[in-house]
Amino acid sequence: MITLNVDLGERSYPIFIGRQMLGDAGLIRPCINGTQVMIVTNETIAPLYLDKAAQAFAEFEPRHVILPDGEQYKNLEVLNQIFDELLVQHFDRHCTLVALGGGVIGDMTGFAAACYQRGVDFIQIPTTLLAQVDSSVGGKTGVNHPQGKNMIGAFHQPRCVVIDTDTLTTLDDRQLSAGLAEVIKYGLIRDIGFVGWLETNMDKLLARDPEATAYAIETACRCKAEVVTADEKESGVRALLNLGHTFGHAIETGAGYGHWLHGEAVGMGMLMAADLSMRQGWLSEEDVRRVENLIDKAELPTRAPHNMTYERFMELMAVDKKVRAGQINLVLLEAVGNAVVTTGFDPELLRETIETHRATE
Ligand SMILES: NC(=O)c1ccc[n+]([C@@H]2O[C@H](COP(=O)([O-])OP(=O)(O)OC[C@H]3O[C@@H](n4cnc5c(N)ncnc54)[C@H](O)[C@@H]3O)[C@@H](O)[C@H]2O)c1
Ligand SMILES: [Zn+2]
């Protein structure tokens, strides 16, 4: 087992990465302060992992709440089901919530923990690759609004993150690829060496080779932990982690939540960011091909939905959180392995990027 640390003073916490860790009471015991534990999961994950995960919390006689499965349920109405259960079961403010699932469950459980009685503890047990390499670390929590992704939320750090890589064996291929998009992201942002490693090892990752997978997760978590330590509330360097996300969130919202997976939209968005960077004169055509090949190799889409016109993108990107004082901030690439946040892009070039990448129908 590997232990990484997210260093945030009194809000510091460990990330445990390894195999056969679900149900390990010794691991999570130091992370629990009170006596009440509520496991939040969904109808897909519950039959697979709820009993096993609950074993780790047996001494607390954990309760659970099972939410419907899907990005379209990541909203305030479904969030209320968690509060209903907590109140019915008389949970007090020393309780701990446990997020057992992918990024949707993690974001919702974390947000419920941030709000319930003005803030209670929570633990992340991420079960998708995407959640293991990204969403479970860093304390961003929240739900969607019909007008925009993740628009209602809070920063709330977990007490620990337990990444049992064995849970990935039941994940379907499309979800695995979606997670790989966020893995690729770390390389493109700040680690050219990791880009090279991914180019060589993508086949192993798709074949779920345990060693390669563990290495990718560790590298991603290390990067995320460093960035979050340097800039917890995203006033600087953390914004780079949004590479591909301004385009991606527009695609997710525009296509209707649940149609494009978050990671698929992010992969597409990273390719568009690379393309715009080339049009700005920062990247070579060869660089863009390299990004496209990597995304393609991860079996991610390389064409945006046909209905996502320039006007629709602009409309949706204007409500994205990266907009400041009316200007759209984009994360672009100065080089493969070096991202920057900029408002300095030419809208005409952006139009070209969007038109070039829209599917023909
Ligand atoms: N908070 C953050 O920093 C952050 C970062 C990135 C993404 N996100 C959010 O994460 C969400 C996407 O997360 P996701 O990709 O994990 O999607 P998800 O949570 O919807 O999970 C994907 C699917 O896989 C199923 N599943 C989960 N674990 C499984 C397993 N081990 N075996 C079989 N099936 C399993 C789920 O039930 C679901 O159907 C988005 O809402 C996105 O906004 C948040
Ligand atoms: Zn993301």
Side-chain angles (χ1 to χ4, degrees), residues 78-224:
V78 177
L79 187 76
N80 232 344
Q81 292 183 24
I82 305 176
F83 298 134
D84 289 347
E85 198 58 30
L86 289 166
L87 287 163
V88 167
Q89 303 283 348
H90 305 291
F91 269 52
D92 65 29
R93 62 195 177 83
H94 304 289
C95 69
T96 295
L97 308 195
V98 178
L100 175 68
V104 169
I105 288 295
D107 280 11
M108 291 181 79
T109 308
F111 188 44
C115 299
Y116 188 66
Q117 307 219 2
R118 302 195 179 82
V120 299
D121 287 350
F122 87 113
I123 289 174
Q124 288 273 19
I125 307 184
T127 60
T128 63
L129 180 60
L130 184 134
Q132 295 182 349
V133 298
D134 192 359
S135 62
S136 65
V137 176
K140 278 196 190 179
T141 73
V143 294
N144 300 327
H145 187 278
Q147 305 285 331
K149 268 284 288 179
N150 299 334
M151 278 293 144
I152 320 290
F155 283 100
H156 191 53
Q157 300 292 347
R159 287 283 161 199
C160 69
V161 182
V162 179
I163 301 177
D164 186 332
T165 56
D166 288 342
T167 57
L168 298 178
T169 52
T170 51
L171 199 64
D172 70 39
D173 291 345
R174 193 175 160 204
Q175 297 289 349
L176 188 77
S177 289
L180 288 172
E182 303 275 13
V183 174
I184 293 169
K185 179 182 82 177
Y186 295 109
L188 296 182
I189 289 169
R190 55 177 233 157
D191 192 344
I192 181 85
F194 190 46
V195 173
W197 185 89
L198 287 168
E199 286 168 336
T200 310
N201 291 282
M202 190 57 79
D203 294 337
K204 284 191 187 162
L205 293 174
L206 288 170
R208 301 169 198 239
D209 174 273
E211 261 175 52
T213 305
Y215 177 77
I217 293 172
E218 183 192 340
T219 307
C221 284
R222 211 180 275 286
C223 176
K224 178 102 191 224

Side-chain angles (χ1 to χ4, degrees), residues 10 84 104 178 187 202 217 235 262 331 353:
E10 61 183 15
D84 289 347
V104 169
M202 190 57 79
I217 293 172
S235 47
H262 175 75
V331 184
T353 290

